[in-house]
Amino acid sequence: MIKATRMFFLLFLDIILINISYTISFLIRFEFNPGSTGFQAFFNIYMENIFVITGIKVLVFFLFGMYNSLWKYAGIEELTKTVAASFVSTAAVIFYLVFIQKNLPRSIYIMTFVLDIFMIGGVRLSYRFLRGIKNNPLLFIKDKQYICKAMIIGAGDAGSVIIKELRNHRELNSVPVVVVDDDKTKLKKRISGVPIEGTRFDIEQLADKYAIDEIIIAIPSASRKQIKEIVKLCNKTDAKLKIVPGLYELIDEKVSINTLRNVNIEDLLGREPVQVNLEEISEYLNNKIVMVTGGGGSIGSELCRQIAMYEPKKLIALDIYENNIFEIQNEMRQENPNIDFEVVIASVRDSLRIREVFVKYAPHVVFHAAAHKHVPLMEMDPKEAVKNNIFGTNILVDLADDFGIEKFVLISTDKAVNPCNVMGATKRAAEMILQAKSKTSKTQFSAVRFGNVLGSNGSVIPIFRKQIENGGPVTVTHPDVTRYFMTIPEAVQLVIQAGAMADGGEIFILDMGQPVKIIELAENIIKLSGYKPYEDIDIQIIGLRPGEKLYEELLLKEEGIQETIHNKIYIGKPLEIDNQLLIDQLEELSEIIDKDNKTIKEFLQKMIPTYIPNEKLYS
């Protein structure tokens, strides 16, 4: 109803304006002397054909969609349409008058064409102008102290869209007041009416000058490294941060207010999205029976999600903890109903049960993610780490060899390199078992070694967020402690890619980027949560935990490093392992497994020469 009323109003207005433009044109042509003979003669021709002339013009305007456009968003496209419609309608009137052998002075046609553009186009553009004034929060919000002053970073198309949408959505109470852009040719100019007053290095100064409440990063084409640098500068202000997602996140590549999101800790890693060879991966997963141990955990469940994309013949998730596996089962049924997905409740420490699973399913590919991973807990109960991470892996490796599994991928950790804790030592032992078996087996055994994954169960970021929710303090073990970080999806993508590249015996090392200082990570999470570190939320240093290391490494000195065709995956050179010695050590370890913790730790030091407990390392 409103649309029809608006269309009839524009139609009525156009009819009036068309005839006003002719009247003005006649007055100008005949020097405002309506009593002259020329005026009377030509004006009579116009009056005799006024309904046809008006009808022709209105019909052309209708065909050009002049009554369907959303004039509240009128811009260059609508102005171009007005010029084209005015030109075609004037030409149609000329054709009609020539056809009936009646004619008007050429100057009349030219002037009516120009006046049509100014009057008919002007009415439509003024509608947008008046609406813009109406929607200006600075003019119409009564309580101006609640207006959010926004800085836009990026004077490109995305920045322009965000500025326009902020103005059109008055309910957001947000008004763009300044723009920054690193293109110095844009400085001192305006984008959608907002001044461009500096580069990224002026962010802090401009935020203070304009009392900025919110900063919106509107550069979807920026690399993650650039975003990291910009966020670091924005964090020097007290403004809240929002960001337009990168083009790789925008499904239809369209920017709008609805696409804005908060800056995540992942944006601060500064790494580009992982690229994988889909054809290479599909070749070893498509139409294959794939088993994931620890399938309910952070890495295991993400492995299931991503493996499902490659259409395996059957996907089996094995886990001892039924709650997590129950959740991934429900998710897979909902999100991937066409995948033959089965859940197995079993412990990798139970050799008879695992053999039963191998007999029943005969998997082609195994991803071994089941492990005890919490460092302080494993310091307290080293025998459990040994049973799960060493003997569990040994059982799976032996069965994979017996059943002729095509590929076996062990999920390892940077803590296996020069370990200073039980968890790292047991994972290093698992790598050794795998490398030893690969010498005599047809199965392609490989391990993938990487650092911490953001948001995994029990990792530092969920702990920090929980502490912030509780009002603090956020606890950091040491001011100098650093860690490598990677998102769960990108870590799993690289694990799957490494599996495709495996020939047997390799330890693949993922490029984790630069190590992150945990205390800086804590400060950033507090800022991203809308608080000031040390003021709103305190940070306390509590000392290194049992088994904790100041920094992690990804490579043993003896391993060296070898590049692969993938720029984020490297290979550590396989070390010479005495198979018989390893077998003897595993037998001896099984005999002392029920002894006290000290005995087990001492034996692990004997078995893993690079293992130095952290109490010795930092004594």
Side-chain angles (χ1 to χ4, degrees):
M1 190 68 177
I2 294 173
K3 184 179 177 181
T5 303
R6 185 170 61 241
M7 189 179 79
F8 282 118
F9 173 74
L10 282 174
L11 184 63
F12 174 74
L13 202 58
D14 284 352
I15 290 170
I16 294 173
L17 292 175
I18 286 166
N19 291 286
I20 287 174
S21 71
Y22 270 100
T23 302
I24 292 173
S25 298
F26 273 104
L27 288 172
I28 294 171
R29 169 66 178 78
F30 293 100
E31 300 178 346
F32 294 91
N33 184 10
S36 65
T37 306
F39 184 96
Q40 292 291 334
F42 286 114
F43 197 73
N44 284 339
I45 294 173
Y46 163 67
M47 290 302 294
E48 288 169 5
N49 295 279
I50 187 170
F51 294 110
V52 178
I53 290 172
T54 304
I56 288 172
K57 291 218 165 191
V58 167
L59 177 63
V60 172
F61 289 169
F62 181 81
L63 293 174
F64 270 80
M66 297 284 284
Y67 304 108
N68 295 326
S69 292
L70 294 171
W71 292 99
K72 65 180 179 181
Y73 302 119
I76 296 298
E77 185 179 340
E78 284 71 24
L79 185 60
T80 304
K81 188 186 291 185
T82 302
V83 172
S86 299
F87 178 81
V88 172
S89 65
T90 301
V93 169
I94 294 172
F95 181 80
Y96 164 73
L97 291 174
V98 169
F99 180 76
I100 64 170
Q101 297 183 349
K102 302 280 178 123
N103 218 335
L104 299 175
R106 283 175 293 180
S107 57
I108 296 291
Y109 299 131
I110 294 170
M111 283 188 283
T112 54
F113 166 60
V114 174
L115 287 170
D116 279 350
I117 294 170
F118 277 98
M119 293 172 71
I120 292 169
V123 163
R124 285 156 169 81
L125 291 174
S126 64
Y127 175 72
R128 175 182 173 175
F129 175 73
L130 292 171
R131 186 180 176 88
I133 293 176
K134 176 187 172 186
N135 286 334
N136 190 333
L138 290 174
L139 294 178
F140 288 93
I141 295 177
K142 292 180 181 178
D143 196 347
K144 292 182 173 54
Q145 66 176 326
Y146 292 112
I147 294 176
C148 176
K149 294 181 180 178
M151 173 191 289
I152 311 299
I153 298 180
D157 293 339
S160 177
V161 168
I162 294 299
I163 290 169
K164 290 174 184 176
E165 292 219 356
L166 285 177
R167 287 175 170 165
N168 289 329
H169 293 273
R170 195 172 69 189
E171 70 277 5
L172 296 175
N173 278 14
S174 184
V175 57
V177 295
V178 67
V179 177
V180 301
D181 195 285
D182 285 347
D183 185 350
K184 293 185 178 179
T185 63
K186 295 179 180 179
L187 296 182
K188 305 304 177 185
K189 296 179 182 177
R190 288 178 174 264
I191 175 172
S192 300
V194 181
I196 305 168
E197 294 204 10
T199 67
R200 72 174 74 174
F201 302 106
D202 301 307
I203 288 172
E204 189 176 5
Q205 174 196 341
L206 292 172
D208 185 57
K209 176 182 175 181
Y210 287 96
I212 295 298
D213 303 297
E214 181 178 69
I215 297 176
I216 299 174
I217 302 171
I219 323 174
S221 60
S223 68
R224 282 186 173 176
K225 184 179 179 182
Q226 290 171 320
I227 294 297
K228 178 185 177 181
E229 292 168 355
I230 291 169
V231 169
K232 192 173 181 180
L233 293 168
C234 292
N235 277 339
K236 294 179 181 179
T237 74
D238 295 331
K240 292 182 179 178
L241 285 181
K242 288 195 173 176
I243 188 170
V244 173
L247 291 175
Y248 58 90
E249 295 178 77
L250 293 169
I251 296 173
D252 55 6
E253 296 190 2
K254 290 183 179 178
V255 174
S256 74
I257 284 291
N258 294 330
T259 63
L260 282 181
R261 62 167 173 80
N262 292 327
V263 174
N264 296 325
I265 199 69
E266 289 88 343
D267 296 312
L268 304 183
L269 292 180
R271 289 200 306 278
E272 300 310 305
V274 169
Q275 303 295 325
V276 294
N277 186 327
L278 297 178
E279 185 178 343
E280 195 175 34
I281 291 171
S282 292
E283 191 175 326
Y284 87 101
L285 293 180
N286 182 252
N287 204 33
K288 297 292 176 71
I289 300 170
V290 183
M291 185 169 79
V292 179
T293 71
S298 305
I299 298 295
S301 59
E302 183 64 23
L303 275 165
C304 290
R305 292 183 193 100
Q306 293 198 27
I307 291 168
M309 295 190 296
Y310 301 102
E311 300 179 355
K313 183 177 181 180
K314 182 186 280 292
L315 179 56
I316 305 134
L318 183 147
D319 207 303
I320 189 60
Y321 186 44
E322 71 273 18
N323 289 352
N324 283 351
I325 205 77
F326 178 73
E327 289 178 12
I328 189 65
Q329 181 185 51
N330 287 341
E331 181 186 328
M332 291 293 288
R333 283 175 178 171
Q334 185 175 350
E335 301 295 330
N336 298 281
N338 297 325
I339 296 295
D340 185 359
F341 180 77
E342 280 198 43
V343 161
V344 175
I345 304 298
S347 169
V348 294
R349 291 148 60 160
D350 186 341
S351 60
L352 293 177
R353 174 69 173 127
I354 297 301
R355 177 173 287 276
E356 185 181 274
V357 172
F358 271 68
V359 169
K360 180 178 179 180
Y361 295 105
H364 300 103
V365 180
V366 174
F367 289 91
H368 179 33
H372 284 322
K373 65 174 187 176
H374 293 290
V375 170
L377 294 180
M378 295 307 101
E379 290 301 301
M380 294 167 58
D381 289 301
K383 62 184 67 178
E384 294 304 312
V386 169
K387 289 175 185 177
N388 215 53
N389 298 355
I390 297 180
F391 291 126
T393 300
N394 194 48
I395 288 167
L396 283 164
V397 165
D398 283 344
L399 286 171
D401 179 47
D402 291 346
F403 282 81
I405 302 298
E406 294 174 12
K407 285 182 181 285
F408 184 103
V409 181
L410 167 69
I411 308 301
S412 191
T413 170
D414 55 2
K415 292 173 178 62
V417 181
N418 299 321
C420 72
N421 51 60
V422 169
M423 194 282 275
T426 57
K427 292 298 279 186
R428 175 59 192 147
E431 291 179 353
M432 292 165 62
I433 290 167
L434 181 140
Q435 287 185 307
K437 182 64 71 173
S438 70
K439 294 178 180 178
T440 58
S441 176
K442 292 182 180 179
T443 299
Q444 294 176 339
F445 289 101
S446 61
V448 183
R449 193 187 282 165
F450 54 89
N452 298 271
V453 286
L454 291 170
S456 64
N457 296 331
S459 66
V460 68
I461 290 175
I463 291 172
F464 283 170
R465 285 180 174 148
K466 188 69 176 175
Q467 290 174 334
I468 292 167
E469 285 175 16
N470 294 332
V474 170
T475 56
V476 175
T477 58
H478 193 284
D480 296 325
V481 71
T482 62
R483 291 291 181 269
Y484 291 99
F485 283 99
M486 183 174 274
T487 66
I488 295 175
E490 66 180 339
V492 167
Q493 280 179 294
L494 292 174
V495 166
I496 296 173
Q497 177 68 69
M501 297 161 62
D503 287 325
E506 304 96 337
I507 294 180
F508 291 98
I509 299 147
L510 305 188
D511 179 0
M512 301 290 293
Q514 294 300 312
V516 177
K517 259 196 165 186
I518 298 300
I519 196 163
E520 291 179 3
L521 183 69
E523 290 169 351
N524 283 324
I525 293 175
I526 292 170
K527 288 174 185 175
L528 294 180
S529 301
Y531 301 103
K532 293 181 182 179
Y534 309 105
E535 292 182 25
D536 302 324
I537 303 288
D538 194 20
I539 298 176
Q540 289 184 1
I541 305 299
I542 59 173
L544 289 174
R545 299 175 299 171
E548 189 173 18
K549 208 174 184 181
L550 273 178
Y551 60 93
E552 301 292 358
E553 304 159 272
L554 290 167
L555 199 67
L556 290 166
K557 286 182 181 178
E558 300 85 355
E559 287 177 320
I561 196 165
Q562 178 184 333
E563 291 185 349
T564 69
I565 56 172
H566 196 286
N567 65 345
K568 288 184 180 289
I569 302 176
Y570 300 90
I571 297 175
K573 185 179 71 175
L575 301 181
E576 285 300 319
I577 296 170
D578 187 325
N579 289 18
Q580 190 56 52
L581 175 61
L582 182 60
I583 292 168
D584 293 342
Q585 287 175 333
L586 289 173
E587 287 181 2
E588 189 176 346
L589 184 58
S590 68
E591 292 170 3
I592 66 164
I593 193 64
D594 292 322
K595 293 188 180 291
D596 60 276
N597 292 348
K598 183 182 177 184
T599 303
I600 293 172
K601 286 185 179 181
E602 287 175 350
F603 187 83
L604 285 174
Q605 290 176 63
K606 176 184 171 183
M607 185 177 178
I608 315 292
T610 56
Y611 169 35
I612 304 173
N614 81 329
E615 58 265 25
K616 289 185 179 180
L617 192 64
Y618 299 114
S619 60

